[in-house]
Amino acid sequence: MLGGATMASLTFALTGKSYEKTFLVAAIFPIIALVWMCKNFKDELITGSSISTIAAQNRQQSLGAEGSSSLPDASKPEGTSSPGPSKAADGAGKSISSGSPPAPDEPKLGLLDKAKVLFTSFRPVYWQALAVVAILYFARFDPSFLSLRAKQVMDKAAIPLLTFVNTVIQVALTAPLARIAGSSVGARNRLLLVGFVVMIACNACFLLPYTANMKGMFLGSGLLGLHMALTHSITISMVASYMPTGVVPGIGRISGTAVSFTDLLLGFVLAASNGVAGMLSDWTASTGYGNVGCFLGGATACTVAGILLIILTKFGDLGKQELIVGKIGKGKA
């Protein structure tokens, strides 16, 4: 992102605003990333493509082993026992294994029953965290709204540099801020509140006529990068820390399902946020204020998310350190 945004901006300015040459240069960095990924993750890419085949082979081998242990082997002479756990007759005349007792059968659940079990696996604290993040995501509309606003008040050749400023701040601050947030629930919530206030100031830079200039756009972009460093990785880890882990009867291991389910819900929220941002921008444009309605909506969303976080921290579960789910394999559920 850093390399692509910087080179695109410089190419656009040095070539007399040539879109063809700008996109050609901007394609270099994705190509480098693709080659690097294929070179360094070759085994993972190959294994990932054949994982279903491996699973099918394992199931066939398992079924074959079960069949050979319960049916006579025609290739062996009579009186020869097949390898495996020895069996003895119990009082009811049934065959029992001298090895470990068989595991109980998994319950067979229908689609609706699985959905019910899945929903009940999530604790109230998860839904509280998800509500805060979902409201915040209404301020995370597509960056093209920022570009459209910047296009009205600054030179188009400098617009890609806004992404550069944004990204540099995220790269520099995300890791140290995430370390601070990981120290305690209280530290995490305080950083999130600071991030919400920063995002309100960011929206003000793009919204107010006093900052409708190049300096205001760069200030807003810098504040956006600070907001993302303060909140993006922290909100993801916050929701993840309340996801259920372990094995749920009838569904299996639920960790991956919980992540996919959360991404699905937040995907719908992002789609809705872009729709709302577009309608608000059209409304303010039609009333003569310009396409700034999305920033007014973004500031409102951050305000509501902050108020909700304060309420749920004081009266809900988001302030309780003991509700953080431990890592898988640490003996915690």
Side-chain angles (χ1 to χ4, degrees):
M1 289 180 65
L2 272 173
T6 304
M7 292 303 298
S9 178
L10 293 175
T11 303
F12 194 67
L14 296 176
T15 58
K17 302 180 180 180
S18 170
Y19 286 99
E20 293 84 358
K21 295 178 181 178
T22 299
F23 280 108
L24 181 62
V25 171
I28 295 175
F29 287 88
I31 292 173
I32 295 174
L34 179 61
V35 172
W36 183 88
M37 184 183 70
C38 293
K39 180 180 178 181
N40 290 278
F41 295 94
K42 184 188 303 181
D43 294 338
E44 288 84 350
L45 291 171
I46 296 175
T47 303
S49 63
S50 60
I51 190 169
S52 59
T53 304
I54 296 173
Q57 293 174 352
N58 290 338
R59 286 195 298 269
Q60 290 176 357
Q61 292 175 0
S62 177
L63 290 174
E66 292 176 0
S68 63
S69 63
S70 59
L71 297 176
D73 191 344
S75 64
K76 295 181 180 180
E78 293 183 5
T80 304
S81 59
S82 59
S86 60
K87 297 185 178 181
D90 62 4
K94 296 180 180 179
S95 176
I96 59 174
S97 172
S98 61
S100 58
D105 293 336
E106 283 286 324
K108 303 297 182 181
L109 300 179
L111 184 60
L112 292 178
D113 291 331
K114 286 184 177 181
K116 183 179 179 180
V117 171
L118 177 63
F119 273 93
T120 55
S121 299
F122 293 94
R123 297 173 298 168
V125 66
Y126 165 84
W127 298 108
Q128 294 174 22
L130 188 65
V132 173
V133 176
I135 295 175
L136 172 65
Y137 270 32
F138 275 92
R140 298 273 187 87
F141 42 80
D142 194 273
S144 59
F145 287 97
L146 279 66
S147 299
L148 289 173
R149 174 57 174 164
K151 184 179 178 181
Q152 297 175 337
V153 298
M154 61 183 289
D155 185 9
K156 291 189 296 182
I159 290 178
L161 288 176
L162 298 178
T163 302
F164 173 79
V165 171
N166 178 344
T167 309
V168 165
I169 294 176
Q170 289 189 60
V171 170
L173 297 180
T174 294
L177 289 173
R179 181 178 292 273
I180 295 173
S183 62
S184 68
V185 167
R188 179 199 70 190
N189 292 346
R190 287 191 291 270
L191 282 180
L192 287 178
L193 288 174
V194 172
F196 295 164
V197 173
V198 170
M199 188 60 163
I200 294 173
C202 166
N203 281 281
C205 290
F206 290 101
L207 172 65
L208 298 177
Y210 308 105
T211 51
N213 49 54
M214 181 175 290
K215 291 182 179 179
M217 297 300 101
F218 275 101
L219 176 59
S221 181
L223 290 173
L224 177 60
L226 178 58
H227 162 80
M228 295 298 287
L230 281 162
T231 64
H232 186 58
S233 63
I234 298 175
T235 52
I236 292 174
S237 63
M238 177 178 70
V239 176
S241 68
Y242 299 125
M243 290 181 184
T245 60
V247 178
V248 175
I251 297 181
R253 184 167 293 279
I254 199 174
S255 304
T257 304
V259 173
S260 299
F261 175 74
T262 303
D263 287 344
L264 176 66
L265 294 181
L266 292 179
F268 283 118
V269 172
L270 283 175
S273 71
N274 280 293
V276 172
M279 289 187 290
L280 290 174
S281 295
D282 289 341
W283 172 63
T284 53
S286 63
T287 55
Y289 292 99
N291 56 347
V292 296
C294 56
F295 306 110
L296 178 62
T300 303
C302 284
T303 302
V304 175
I307 294 173
L308 183 61
L309 177 60
I310 294 173
I311 293 174
L312 294 177
T313 299
K314 187 172 183 179
F315 302 105
D317 298 323
L318 292 185
K320 299 177 180 178
Q321 182 74 36
E322 65 273 14
L323 293 181
I324 299 293
V325 177
K327 293 183 180 180
I328 299 174
K330 294 294 185 181
K332 298 180 180 180

